[in-house]
Amino acid sequence: MTPELKHRLRLFLKALLLAGGVVFCLLVVMECVDRFYFRPHSAEMRSTRDFEQKKDGIRVLFLGQSDIRSAIIPSRIGPGVYNYGSSGEGFIETYFKLRHYIDRMPELKVVGLAVTPVSFPSSRKRVGTYRSLERYVPRKDLPELSRRFGSRVVVKWLVARFPIVDRRVMKTFLENCIMTIKGMPVESIKMEDGYWMKEDPPAMEKTEY
């Protein structure tokens, strides 16, 4: 390799490292904005905050996918009832969520789950969203999950620590940036006693990351 070629190669590698550093810094800034500005306003995070504020007094807890989230209205049942369902939530995600909270809910007596034919297809075998993986799945459970569902679970668990690199999270982030610039809300639902309802004017709902 000639000295000139070596010089060009060094320049190329320096430029490549510089570009990589710029991209990494940009991703860090985007992740921080998303984590500390957009995600706290998402339906999922608002639901979690509301649930954690009320969990000590909950006696009947409903968990599951949209069947539960959309159909169970706690105020129609009685006091101490809470709906903590989430769209697309499978039994695996429900298990980890319940395991995380069950010893922290002193009044809990009954857990209600939706058991319908659509609860059992392979599409319901997802382990969870990035937020639920980060919050509810400890590192010690990764070997077992990896044996059952493959290495993709480990990859997703790692990405959950920096989810902005996922294309769907990035797409949501950019949409939320555009909506913020236009002065539009980044969600379109309100909490009513553990039950999510649409409100006007309609806007986009961003819950998964």
Side-chain angles (χ1 to χ4, degrees), residues 10-23:
R10 282 196 296 269
L11 290 178
F12 173 76
L13 291 175
K14 288 180 180 179
L16 191 62
L17 288 173
L18 179 61
V22 171
V23 171

Coordinates of all heavy atoms in Angstrom, one line a residue, residues 10-23:
R10 N -6.6 6.8 6.0 CA -6.7 7.4 7.3 C -7.8 8.5 7.3 O -8.6 8.6 8.3 CB -5.4 7.9 7.8 CG -4.4 6.8 8.3 CD -3.2 7.4 9.0 NE -2.4 8.3 8.2 CZ -1.4 7.9 7.5 NH1 -1.0 6.6 7.6 NH2 -0.7 8.7 6.7
L11 N -7.8 9.3 6.3 CA -8.8 10.4 6.2 C -10.2 9.8 6.1 O -11.1 10.4 6.8 CB -8.5 11.2 4.9 CG -7.2 12.1 5.0 CD1 -7.1 12.9 3.7 CD2 -7.3 13.1 6.1
F12 N -10.4 8.7 5.4 CA -11.7 8.1 5.3 C -12.1 7.6 6.6 O -13.3 7.8 7.0 CB -11.6 7.0 4.2 CG -12.9 6.2 4.2 CD1 -14.0 6.7 3.5 CD2 -13.0 4.9 4.7 CE1 -15.2 6.0 3.5 CE2 -14.1 4.2 4.7 CZ -15.2 4.7 4.1
L13 N -11.2 6.9 7.3 CA -11.6 6.4 8.6 C -11.9 7.5 9.6 O -12.9 7.3 10.4 CB -10.5 5.5 9.2 CG -10.2 4.2 8.4 CD1 -9.0 3.5 9.0 CD2 -11.4 3.3 8.5
K14 N -11.2 8.6 9.6 CA -11.5 9.7 10.5 C -12.8 10.3 10.1 O -13.6 10.6 11.1 CB -10.4 10.8 10.3 CG -9.0 10.4 10.9 CD -8.0 11.5 10.8 CE -6.7 11.1 11.4 NZ -5.6 12.2 11.2
A15 N -13.1 10.4 8.8 CA -14.4 11.0 8.4 C -15.5 10.1 8.9 O -16.6 10.5 9.3 CB -14.4 11.2 6.9
L16 N -15.3 8.7 8.7 CA -16.3 7.8 9.1 C -16.6 7.8 10.6 O -17.7 7.8 11.1 CB -15.8 6.4 8.7 CG -16.9 5.2 8.8 CD1 -18.0 5.5 7.9 CD2 -16.2 3.9 8.5
L17 N -15.5 7.9 11.4 CA -15.6 8.0 12.9 C -16.4 9.3 13.3 O -17.2 9.3 14.2 CB -14.3 8.0 13.5 CG -13.6 6.6 13.5 CD1 -12.2 6.7 14.1 CD2 -14.4 5.6 14.4
L18 N -16.0 10.4 12.6 CA -16.7 11.7 12.9 C -18.1 11.6 12.6 O -19.0 12.1 13.4 CB -16.0 12.8 12.1 CG -16.6 14.2 12.2 CD1 -16.5 14.6 13.7 CD2 -15.9 15.2 11.3
A19 N -18.5 11.0 11.4 CA -19.9 10.9 11.0 C -20.6 10.0 12.0 O -21.8 10.3 12.4 CB -20.0 10.3 9.6
G20 N -20.0 8.9 12.4 CA -20.6 8.0 13.4 C -20.8 8.7 14.7 O -21.8 8.5 15.4
G21 N -19.8 9.6 15.1 CA -20.0 10.3 16.4 C -21.1 11.3 16.3 O -21.9 11.5 17.3
V22 N -21.3 12.0 15.2 CA -22.4 12.9 15.0 C -23.7 12.2 15.1 O -24.6 12.7 15.7 CB -22.2 13.7 13.7 CG1 -23.4 14.5 13.4 CG2 -21.0 14.6 13.7
V23 N -23.8 11.1 14.4 CA -25.1 10.3 14.4 C -25.4 9.9 15.8 O -26.6 9.9 16.2 CB -25.0 9.1 13.4 CG1 -26.2 8.2 13.6 CG2 -24.9 9.6 12.0

